[in-house]
Amino acid sequence: MPKSQHSFTSIRPKGEALVWFTGMGLSVGILLIIGLLGIILKNGLSMFWPDTIYEVQLVEGSTAGPRNGQNFAGAIALERHKRLQEATNAGLTSEFQFFAGNKDAYGQMYHYVDADQIVTDAAGEPLFTPASGILQLERIEFGDALGFPLEIQLADGTTITEPEALKAALFKTIEESNERLETYTKIEKKQIGRINSKMESIRLEQRALREELGEAAAETSPQIQELNEQQAALQAQYTELAAEARELRERRHQDSLLLRLATGEERRISFENITQAHFPNEMSLPGKVGFFLKQIWRFMSEAPREANTEGGIFPAIFGTFVMTLLMSLAVMPFGVVAAIYLREYATQGVIVRAVRISVNNLAGVPSIVYGVFGLGFFVYVLGGSIDELFFSHKLPTATFGTGGVLWASLTLALMTVPVVIVATEEALSAVPRGMREAALACGASKWQAIQRIVLPASAPGILTGLILAMARGAGEVAPLMLVGVVKLAPSLPLDGEFPFVHLDRKFMHLGFHIYDLAFQSPDSDAAKPMVFATTLLLIVLVIVLNLSAITIRNHLRKKYKGDTF
């Protein structure tokens, strides 16, 4: 062999290129994941940070501002390059997207302005001056408002215009208004809701008695009379509570704030519509950090509003958690039992191989197919039968014969059961044969050997299957759109009303919430920050659920580590 060829062979081991190729594939995958998470993290968290509000002055003759004006106030939401269309000016230019708020005044909250439409400084850069004393209001309707406070008018006729007194009165009045909002929301949702539920039950009892006794006999029936008295008492309570709630609403409506917008017009805003206020340009760094953390908590703990583009996402978090928990409780025993039979009891042959192939193929079926099956089988067949048997007095109003969290959980359990079966079979097959034989030799039955020896030893592998199932189930959207998820659910599937767990209720889901914001929102610019924030939270929720399962798996792995032969 020539010397040169011998040297080449010694320094280039066979297959080295493939090792580098596989390493490159892993690196690309990791970079893509890090990039995706970085984009979601940056855009999701930026929603909660109080941005500086600038005064923007446009050049003479420009009509790019709100209402074709030449000056306005707003925060820079985006800066990007755009390609000019005119042949004579071909090239790139910059444009800014400003969050100017005041949707009720300007028609939209975000405005795009070309850089050459903005007055520049001596260096030729767009001139942005922080707006001194500008106030940002978070409102229940029409999004945020930006402007300069002029006066507060209270219900007792007091008018406050002095700046320091106005600022103190502003926060105090908002706090009082929010307390009234919390009080009448509690009255309407809990107390009045409970009364409505009782009145509906009485109405159904009355209808059943009338059908049983006949209309004529029912009018003189003592039972009907008693139910009428109960309904009258509930109606009196309802009227009293409704009046109390109405009075609190009217009281909130009487206080108002006069605001001058940066475009010059004045608008009076009722405190009924204000939930929070802050002066973003006057906040220190610790103040901004505190505001940032407070906004995150509000986002996670409050209900959505304004077509889900404002407020929080607590019902979606809770709905996703409950659905994933129910799905895990359903898929785990079913998948494990099926895998035990296939691996430990079934005679290995053509039929078992066919079953395994079918199970593996089920994992590749599109999720929307499971949704259609869930709608037909769980909702219409099972739910309709349950309504006929146990809730016939409520028909034609469906109880379980419509979408709900139970049917959604079972549909996702059916979709993810192949994952659990395959993972469990692999875990069972990994248990050394000697462990089974030793248990049998000690006098244990086959089931006792499986229960006491095989299952504990394979528990970490079984939990791995459950982790994969939870990750897939929590992120699914398509099947849920058919079997129970809704855009806005007034009640949670778990609350303080008997029977406490309401499996028939529809629910909100983080995945569907993202879809709704991204593709169904009337204002895509306003919804975009919510999309990133909700996506970030969904990822965090899946990570938390998986970490919980991984912790249990590691505990079991450590516990049974010394039990191997």
Side-chain angles (χ1 to χ4, degrees), residues 85-388:
Q85 299 298 320
E86 293 80 1
T88 54
N89 296 321
L92 295 176
T93 185
S94 295
E95 73 170 358
F96 293 89
Q97 184 193 41
F98 291 97
F99 170 74
N102 304 316
K103 186 178 180 181
D104 49 338
Y106 302 153
Q108 55 187 354
M109 291 193 291
Y110 288 84
H111 301 267
Y112 286 94
V113 181
D114 290 346
D116 57 7
Q117 298 289 306
I118 302 172
V119 172
T120 57
D121 56 16
E125 296 295 326
L127 180 61
F128 299 125
T129 307
S132 177
I134 197 165
L135 173 66
Q136 184 166 354
L137 296 175
E138 184 179 330
R139 299 185 293 181
I140 295 176
E141 294 180 334
F142 305 116
D144 287 8
L146 302 179
F148 303 92
L150 298 179
E151 70 170 33
I152 289 178
Q153 193 165 22
L154 301 177
D156 59 2
T158 304
T159 300
I160 304 170
T161 56
E162 196 277 323
E164 289 302 320
L166 188 147
K167 190 178 292 186
L170 172 68
F171 293 112
K172 182 182 177 185
T173 309
I174 290 176
E175 185 179 352
E176 293 174 350
S177 178
N178 286 338
E179 288 176 359
R180 294 188 184 100
L181 170 65
E182 186 177 350
T183 303
Y184 75 68
T185 301
K186 186 177 179 182
I187 291 174
E188 290 177 342
K189 283 196 171 182
K190 293 188 176 178
Q191 299 182 37
I192 292 181
R194 200 174 297 126
I195 289 174
N196 283 335
S197 178
K198 290 180 180 177
M199 292 176 72
E200 177 64 13
S201 299
I202 291 174
R203 187 188 68 80
L204 293 174
E205 285 187 49
Q206 289 174 328
R207 191 179 74 175
L209 283 173
R210 287 193 176 93
E211 290 175 356
E212 180 183 346
L213 302 175
E215 284 293 336
E219 292 302 325
T220 58
S221 168
Q223 292 173 294
I224 289 288
Q225 297 297 331
E226 184 179 351
L227 290 174
N228 286 339
E229 291 174 2
Q230 292 178 11
Q231 195 159 33
L234 290 173
Q235 182 63 44
Q237 294 180 27
Y238 174 89
T239 305
E240 183 180 348
L241 290 171
E244 184 179 350
R246 187 166 53 251
E247 183 181 351
L248 289 169
R249 279 181 179 275
E250 292 173 353
R251 179 63 185 82
R252 291 185 74 220
H253 182 70
Q254 291 169 354
D255 301 330
S256 64
L257 169 69
L258 183 62
L259 205 65
R260 178 175 61 79
L261 308 187
T263 49
E265 62 186 292
E266 296 181 359
R267 300 186 74 86
R268 186 168 290 279
I269 303 174
S270 169
F271 275 90
E272 181 186 27
N273 196 23
I274 301 173
T275 61
Q276 182 177 257
H278 66 283
F279 294 88
N281 294 354
E282 299 177 7
M283 298 172 77
S284 60
L285 182 59
K288 287 190 175 184
V289 172
F291 182 85
F292 173 77
L293 297 176
K294 180 182 176 185
Q295 290 297 94
I296 292 177
W297 171 247
R298 292 185 66 203
F299 180 69
M300 295 175 60
S301 61
E302 292 185 355
R305 58 177 189 272
E306 280 285 271
N308 291 348
T309 59
E310 301 283 343
I313 57 169
F314 175 72
I317 297 173
F318 194 78
T320 306
F321 176 76
V322 171
M323 187 214 65
T324 307
L325 188 64
L326 290 175
M327 181 205 73
S328 303
L329 293 177
V331 73
M332 189 68 177
F334 183 65
V336 171
V337 168
I340 289 175
Y341 182 80
L342 284 174
R343 175 58 58 181
E344 303 291 338
Y345 287 101
T347 302
Q348 303 301 314
V350 176
I351 296 178
V352 171
R353 283 202 299 271
V355 170
R356 284 204 179 95
I357 292 172
S358 301
V359 169
N360 291 332
N361 286 337
L362 278 176
V365 174
S367 58
I368 189 66
V369 176
Y370 286 98
V372 174
F373 177 81
L375 178 66
F377 179 70
F378 290 126
V379 177
Y380 291 155
V381 176
L382 277 185
S385 302
I386 291 173
D387 281 353
E388 290 286 346

